[in-house]
Amino acid sequence: MGIGVLRKYRDYLPVTEDTPLLSLGEGDTPLVRSNRLGPELGCEDLYFKLEGCNPTGSFKDRGMVVAMAKALEQGSVAVMCASTGNTSASAAAYSAYCNLPAFVLIPKGEVALGKLAQAMAYGARILMVDGNFDVALKLVRIFTEKHAITLVNSVNPHRLEGQKTAAFEVVDVLGDAPDYLFIPVGNAGNITAYWRGFREYYQAGCCNALPKMMGFQAEGAAPIVRGAPVAHPQTIASAIRIGNPASWKSAVEARDSSGGVIDMVSDDEILEAYRLLASREGIFGEPASAASLAGLLKHHRQGLDLRGKRVVCVITGSGLKDPDLAVSSVAAHTIEVKPTLEAVEEVTLSLVS
Ligand code: F0G
C-alpha cells in the first residue's frame, strides 16, 4: 500500500504535529533494471527510476504533496504555479484532493495534450499565458508576493524537500548510492533535490558514497550549459523548454560538488532515446524524460566507461502525457487487415519467422 512520502520519510521532511499527512499514493516508484540497453552499453548495473508511476504521471507529486500539506497547515486559501504541464497537473490533482483552489499559468500552445487534459479534469483554473514558461513563472512570482496565494513552483522550498525522497528511495533499494545519476534538467529543481537527498542520506549514514550528478538540458534550451539565459528556448521536449531556470545556482552546485556534468542533448538524440526506451526496454517515458538516457548514450559514445558502474537514469514522466508526439514520431507499425482469420494469419505468420 502506498503510504506516501509524508508518512514514509516524515523524519526528513518539514512535518510538524499540525501538518496533514496527505497522500494520493505518491512515491515508492519502481527502480527497474535495464534488460537490454545496459548490457549493450557494457553496463550490467543500469536502472531506470520510473517517476511516471506517480499518481499524476510525473515526479512532481513528491514535492506537491509536501507543498500542499504546508499550505493547508498555514491556512492558505489557494495555490498558484506556472508550468510546462506536469507541475500544473500535479497542483491540480492535489488541489482537488485537498479542496484548495489551484490557479495554473501555462504557456499557450506549448503544453502537451495529456497534461492540459489533466489540469482540466482535476478542475484547476487554467490561465493560458501568451508567452513562454519563464514569462509565466515571473508573473506567478510577482503575483504571489503581492497576494495571499501560495506559490507551489519549486521556488517554494517544500517542493524540493518532497522531491528529494526519490534519492532516498534509490538508496533504499540499491543499498547505497549509484556511481552516476542521469537526470533531465529544466527549471533545475529536481537535480537540486536529488543531490540534497543523497547528501542528507550520506550524512545520516544511510549510504557510503555519493553519485556524480549528470544533468541534461535540451540543446535549444540549455542556459546552464551555455552560461546565459536563453530568451526563446526551443525543443521538442516541451517539459524542459525553459530559458532561465529558477534553481540554476543550486544545480551548478550539485554538478560541481558531485564531480558531475550538466550537458545538453539535441532533439534528435532525445527522440532516439525516447524510442529506444520504449522499444528496447518497455518503458514509455515522455520526451523530456528521455533526456537522461540521451545523455547517457552521448557520454558513452564519447568514451565514458560504464563497466562495473552502477547507473540510474531518472525517467521523470509518463509517455502517455504526450500522445501526439508518440504517434507522429514513431514509424507507424499498424497494418490494415480484412476481418478474416486468413488475413490475420497471412500477416502474422510472415512476421514471426
Ligand atoms: N522532466 C519532466 C517530465 C518535467 O516535467 C520537468 C519539469 C523536468 C523533467 C525538469 O525538472 O524543472 O526540476 O529541472 N517540469 C516543470 C513543469 C518545469 O512545469 O512541469 P526540473
Side-chain angles (χ1 to χ4, degrees):
M1 188 184 81
I3 59 170
V5 299
L6 280 168
R7 274 203 178 78
K8 188 165 175 210
Y9 293 111
R10 65 179 295 164
D11 294 345
Y12 293 89
L13 294 173
V15 173
T16 70
E17 280 186 357
D18 299 324
T19 313
L21 297 177
L22 320 168
S23 175
L24 276 174
E26 63 292 322
D28 208 5
T29 58
L31 187 69
V32 174
R33 190 184 202 126
S34 165
N35 199 35
R36 296 174 65 189
L37 292 171
E40 280 172 33
L41 299 171
C43 178
E44 295 300 328
D45 244 354
L46 171 63
Y47 298 86
F48 299 107
K49 178 73 172 153
L50 304 192
E51 289 293 279
C53 294
N54 277 298
T56 75
S58 87
F59 69 95
K60 304 289 182 180
D61 297 336
R62 293 177 183 279
M64 197 56 71
V65 73
V66 180
M68 208 58 88
K70 295 306 279 185
L72 283 181
E73 182 181 338
Q74 288 153 7
S76 175
V77 294
V79 299
M80 179 181 272
C81 66
S83 181
T84 56
N86 281 324
T87 299
S88 54
S90 187
Y94 285 87
S95 133
Y97 176 67
C98 300
N99 193 22
L100 194 61
F103 295 87
V104 304
L105 276 71
I106 58 176
K108 192 172 135 197
E110 293 197 31
V111 167
L113 188 62
K115 303 175 188 180
L116 184 59
Q118 286 180 291
M120 293 169 79
Y122 295 130
R125 317 282 199 278
I126 304 168
L127 283 72
M128 297 272 195
V129 179
D130 194 4
N132 62 27
F133 169 83
D134 302 291
V135 171
L137 180 57
K138 199 169 169 190
L139 283 170
V140 167
R141 290 175 94 146
I142 297 169
F143 181 94
T144 52
E145 258 176 38
K146 206 168 160 211
H147 303 280
I149 286 186
T150 306
L151 168 76
V152 292
N153 278 104
S154 56
V155 287
N156 174 332
H158 302 308
R159 281 277 315 280
L160 298 191
E161 284 297 295
Q163 281 176 217
K164 76 185 179 190
T165 60
F168 296 164
E169 288 177 13
V170 169
V171 173
D172 287 345
V173 171
L174 294 179
D176 207 338
D179 296 295
Y180 293 98
L181 186 102
F182 285 78
I183 185 168
V185 174
N187 213 21
N190 211 26
I191 189 170
T192 302
Y194 267 85
W195 181 237
R196 186 184 299 173
F198 285 121
R199 265 193 329 202
E200 284 185 17
Y201 244 29
Y202 183 78
Q203 277 152 12
C206 299
C207 53
N208 299 312
L210 288 167
K212 291 190 192 320
M213 302 297 290
M214 310 291 279
F216 291 87
Q217 302 194 293
E219 206 170 77
I224 300 177
V225 182
R226 298 183 192 280
V230 175
H232 301 290
Q234 287 303 332
T235 167
I236 192 153
S238 58
I240 53 172
R241 196 180 287 153
I242 294 175
N244 194 8
S247 299
W248 187 321
K249 275 203 193 116
S250 51
V252 167
E253 202 269 320
R255 175 195 71 191
D256 294 343
S257 42
S258 74
V261 301
I262 294 181
D263 194 1
M264 56 190 178
V265 282
S266 68
D267 277 5
D268 283 347
E269 287 168 326
I270 289 173
L271 282 174
E272 182 204 8
Y274 169 76
R275 292 187 196 110
L276 283 175
L277 196 58
S279 64
R280 299 266 181 93
E281 297 283 357
I283 295 171
F284 190 26
E286 67 170 285
S289 298
S292 57
L293 176 60
L296 174 66
L297 295 172
K298 176 176 176 183
H299 280 251
H300 176 259
R301 270 197 303 272
Q302 291 177 347
L304 180 67
D305 189 0
L306 299 168
R307 279 172 305 182
K309 302 288 187 211
R310 203 181 244 182
V311 179
V312 171
C313 275
V314 183
I315 306 302
T316 46
S318 163
L320 289 172
K321 288 178 174 269
D322 202 346
D324 296 335
L325 184 80
V327 173
S328 65
S329 74
V330 177
H333 287 303
T334 57
I335 304 167
E336 276 191 36
V337 287
K338 291 207 178 72
T340 65
L341 179 64
E342 291 75 18
V344 174
E345 279 178 339
E346 192 186 321
V347 172
T348 309
L349 300 179
S350 71
L351 289 174
V352 283
S353 56

